[in-house]
Amino acid sequence: MKNVTLAKQLYIIFSVIFMTSCDQSKVTVFSNCVIPSFPEANSIACADGKITSIGNDLIGDIMIDLQKGVVYPGFMDAHLHLVWYGKAMEILDLVGTKSATEVTHIVANAYDGSKQWIVGRGWDQNDWEEIQFPTKEMLDMVAVDQPVYLHRIDGHAIWVNSSVLSICGIDRDIVDPIGGKILRDSDGNPTGVFIDNAMDLIKRFVPDNSKNDKQRQIINAVRKLNQFGLTAIHDAGTDKETVHILKELIAQEQLTIRVNAMLNDNSDDYKEFFTKGPDITDRFLSVRTVKIYFDGAMGSRGAALLEPYADDPKNIGLNLTDEKIITEKVNQFNAAGFQVAVHCIGDRANRLALDIFERSGNKNSRNRIEHAQIIHSDDLPRFFDLGVIPSMQATHCTSDMYWIDERLGEERLHEAYTWQSLLQTGSIISGGSDAPVEIPNPLLGIHAAVTRQDTNGWPVLGWQPNERMTIDQALASITSWAAYSMFAESYLGRIKPGYMADFTVLSHDLSKIDPAQIPSVNVHSTIVNGKVVYKQ
Ligand SMILES: [Zn+2]
């Protein structure tokens, strides 16, 4: 009782100070909750979007009963694709298809004989009974006169039909661009699959997403992300139109997630910000990062490896951007106050990016490597030494573990998804989902991080289980470490007075349940800037 009284008195004193300094802002108290980082407290008071105090039985102008929910700092996704995720909800969903034939059935259903492009995403030949890239003829059988354009699950390959090839003027004379690959038959004719930079030959003919389309896709995506408990995201490749839409939504007080935009490496998209310098004035949107692609992905054998693929001995993968150009860009962007995030999946891409960051010497820029999937053991300590942040996605490990041994061979498997080895060198890891490549449910990410098993409990001991994270590390990767990787560690990622009032409220304390149960935990509510933006 004595403690309660003291807490109340302290609260009243604090409130008086706060309310005089903040123009009599209303105080919202989230009560009747469990706070793992403050086991003695049961309520959190907030005003003006910020936490003002944490204590017992606090009283405010607005009282919100969290019904014994467990309150975590707001979960962040440090790498996803916002517009693409919203768009994925509107196009053909091919995730989980078991054969090329199943995909063609879905396309046949969408076929209406018009000139409108049939667009879809999510196929993955690694999941099919016959593990082979599909061909344009398969699509021609169900839609010969209507363009069909289907993204592979990772966005690093597309599968199109003959109608698209004729619209784009592509025949056997077309040359593979640098950093790209066109699959061909024995006569040199394109078979309908285009990898990495070769996708650009087609992409520019795809009808544009209008600004209205983009706005709707962003709003739908954000609603869904809030349902998953997310309060902030890092958008891995933002165009300037998206930045403007986000600013409009902020002005209308409609944006219910914080966005750290990583601008596309395309002067049209970054020029405007480059001249003005980083835009970090609004805590709902920060624009201070540029994202560059260095290599492709494992699934389509575009990741740049030091030694050839075990299942394709003449192939060491693709460099999508020239090393010299990346070096120049890192220096230019860092000098202008921008962080650089480089997409690197293979061990060769990771090593070269670390070499570039080492030469640039801009430790304070907090440059990042997105994915950092395959790292040679000699390069592990270099992340910490150079202040380079590995930004990794735990569910990539549990999606790839079924076939990655074929790509890498047994002797390189220890290089894959080396979370604990990186953490042991002193590095942090910012955690994300890469949605829509994976589902952006942070509970699935935490489960994958602490078990390295799929949701059916396979493999029994976990895949390369020595690289698992602890539950505290997994939580840090999507809270305080994700905040650090966007320069927001002084106001995001913790439950502490002065920090933004962003919370993910769960039905269970994750450290007190069997890790196998984590995917079935419920999100009770999501709170952003002191407001409930989702309630179950
Ligand atoms: Zn991505």
Side-chain angles (χ1 to χ4, degrees):
M1 272 312 277
K2 212 173 172 189
N3 280 344
V4 173
T5 321
L6 183 65
K8 270 187 184 163
Q9 281 172 350
L10 282 173
Y11 172 72
I12 291 162
I13 295 165
F14 196 93
S15 299
V16 169
I17 298 167
F18 189 86
M19 290 175 84
T20 18
S21 62
C22 290
D23 199 20
Q24 311 244 323
S25 301
K26 286 221 158 110
V27 174
T28 302
V29 168
F30 296 98
S31 65
N32 190 25
C33 57
V34 176
I35 312 162
S37 49
F38 288 88
E40 307 297 319
N42 67 6
S43 45
I44 304 174
C46 319
D48 248 16
K50 288 182 185 156
I51 300 169
T52 55
S53 60
I54 302 138
N56 258 302
D57 300 328
L58 302 177
I59 306 291
D61 305 305
I62 303 164
M63 298 294 296
I64 297 176
D65 184 345
L66 292 180
Q67 300 157 318
K68 301 267 181 253
V70 183
V71 184
Y72 287 96
F75 289 169
M76 294 180 221
D77 189 314
H79 182 123
L80 59 69
H81 302 267
L82 181 61
V83 174
W84 190 25
Y85 179 58
K87 189 171 183 178
M89 294 177 195
E90 301 179 348
I91 59 178
L92 298 185
D93 180 7
L94 310 173
V95 177
T97 45
K98 290 278 169 271
S99 63
T101 314
E102 192 181 339
V103 173
T104 61
H105 286 322
I106 297 171
V107 172
N109 274 332
Y111 173 77
D112 60 9
S114 71
K115 294 290 161 228
Q116 272 219 339
W117 286 55
I118 298 175
V119 180
R121 69 159 294 278
W123 60 272
D124 184 352
Q125 83 284 3
N126 292 315
D127 288 348
W128 295 347
E129 287 135 23
E130 208 175 323
I131 302 180
Q132 260 176 21
F133 276 115
T135 63
K136 61 181 190 293
E137 285 80 10
M138 296 171 173
L139 296 173
D140 291 345
M141 295 213 315
V142 292
V144 70
D145 52 353
Q146 188 171 357
V148 182
Y149 174 89
L150 309 174
H151 266 283
R152 194 180 180 278
I153 184 129
D154 56 10
H156 285 268
I158 46 175
W159 170 23
V160 297
N161 66 349
S162 299
S163 166
V164 168
L165 295 189
S166 69
I167 290 169
C168 305
I170 290 174
D171 56 24
R172 57 177 297 171
D173 297 334
I174 193 105
V175 179
D176 287 28
I178 294 169
K181 193 168 182 178
I182 301 168
L183 300 193
R184 299 171 192 264
D185 63 19
S186 50
D187 294 329
N189 297 304
T191 57
V193 172
F194 294 74
I195 297 172
D196 288 317
N197 286 353
M199 300 192 298
D200 294 340
L201 300 167
I202 314 266
K203 267 187 183 168
R204 54 202 163 99
F205 291 92
V206 181
D208 266 350
N209 221 4
S210 73
K211 188 178 174 193
N212 279 346
D213 292 335
K214 223 178 254 179
Q215 185 169 21
R216 181 187 64 249
Q217 289 156 359
I218 289 171
I219 290 170
N220 290 340
V222 169
R223 188 178 304 131
K224 191 80 189 149
L225 296 168
N226 285 154
Q227 286 172 16
F228 283 130
L230 289 164
T231 62
I233 57 155
H234 301 205
D235 186 32
T238 315
D239 60 27
K240 69 175 178 202
E241 190 170 54
T242 298
V243 173
H244 293 144
I245 292 171
L246 291 169
K247 287 190 168 195
E248 284 163 25
L249 291 173
I250 292 168
Q252 296 155 8
E253 294 192 24
Q254 273 196 56
L255 190 67
T256 57
I257 206 157
R258 298 184 200 279
V259 179
N260 178 44
M262 304 187 208
L263 295 168
N264 285 328
D265 170 31
N266 165 343
S267 67
D268 265 358
D269 287 327
Y270 65 69
K271 202 169 48 193
E272 167 184 338
F273 305 96
F274 199 67
T275 30
K276 284 190 288 191
D279 187 346
I280 46 173
T281 44
D282 194 298
R283 287 192 171 175
F284 269 95
L285 175 66
S286 75
V287 186
R288 69 178 312 160
T289 309
V290 180
K291 177 169 176 224
I292 303 175
Y293 280 89
F294 202 161
D295 67 347
M298 289 303 293
S300 40
R301 297 187 189 83
L305 298 179
L306 291 165
E307 301 291 333
Y309 281 86
D311 57 358
D312 190 1
K314 284 192 184 139
N315 184 9
I316 55 164
L318 299 168
N319 278 29
L320 304 197
T321 315
D322 183 76
E323 196 185 334
K324 253 197 197 147
I325 294 174
I326 297 188
T327 306
E328 281 164 21
K329 288 189 168 179
V330 167
N331 289 330
Q332 187 191 12
F333 292 138
N334 284 173
F338 286 81
Q339 175 190 50
V340 177
V342 189
H343 164 117
C344 298
I345 290 191
D347 50 8
R348 182 159 55 94
N350 276 285
R351 174 167 294 174
L352 292 175
L354 289 165
D355 290 348
I356 292 169
F357 289 139
E358 183 164 5
R359 286 196 299 268
S360 79
N362 305 323
K363 210 169 173 177
N364 294 336
S365 298
R366 297 192 192 178
N367 292 318
R368 309 166 41 147
I369 291 187
E370 301 303 308
H371 309 305
Q373 281 180 16
I374 317 296
I375 304 171
H376 190 282
S377 47
D378 292 351
D379 294 321
L380 284 169
R382 300 179 70 202
F383 283 82
F384 176 72
D385 293 346
L386 301 171
V388 174
I389 301 165
S391 163
M392 303 173 84
Q393 300 76 35
T395 45
H396 278 341
C397 169
T398 50
S399 290
D400 298 354
M401 64 186 177
Y402 307 106
W403 48 263
I404 192 133
D405 53 332
E406 290 163 26
R407 295 282 189 280
L408 291 178
E410 289 295 323
E411 69 285 354
R412 271 186 297 192
L413 284 186
H414 69 277
E415 290 189 3
Y417 317 98
T418 50
W419 309 324
Q420 199 52 248
S421 298
L422 277 165
L423 293 169
Q424 291 307 315
T425 66
S427 178
I428 60 165
I429 293 174
S430 59
S433 69
D434 205 8
V437 180
E438 306 281 353
I439 302 167
N441 178 347
L443 294 167
L444 295 178
I446 295 170
H447 174 260
V450 300
T451 65
R452 288 174 75 107
Q453 290 174 324
D454 62 23
T455 49
N456 297 318
W458 188 90
V460 178
L461 296 176
W463 191 84
Q464 308 268 321
N466 52 313
E467 294 293 351
R468 285 181 300 211
M469 291 191 205
T470 65
I471 186 72
D472 288 342
Q473 289 167 339
L475 283 164
S477 78
I478 58 166
T479 54
S480 53
W481 294 343
Y484 179 87
S485 68
M486 61 174 279
F487 295 86
E489 72 276 16
S490 63
Y491 60 92
L492 292 182
R494 285 179 204 283
I495 297 180
K496 193 176 165 188
Y499 275 60
M500 303 315 292
D502 293 0
F503 311 114
T504 304
V505 187
L506 301 180
S507 59
H508 291 80
D509 184 332
L510 299 180
S511 56
K512 293 195 172 144
I513 57 172
D514 177 350
Q517 305 302 317
I518 293 173
S520 49
V521 165
N522 289 319
V523 176
H524 172 284
S525 46
T526 308
I527 296 160
V528 175
N529 221 42
K531 290 191 181 124
V532 178
V533 297
Y534 166 73
K535 174 135 181 38
Q536 196 188 20

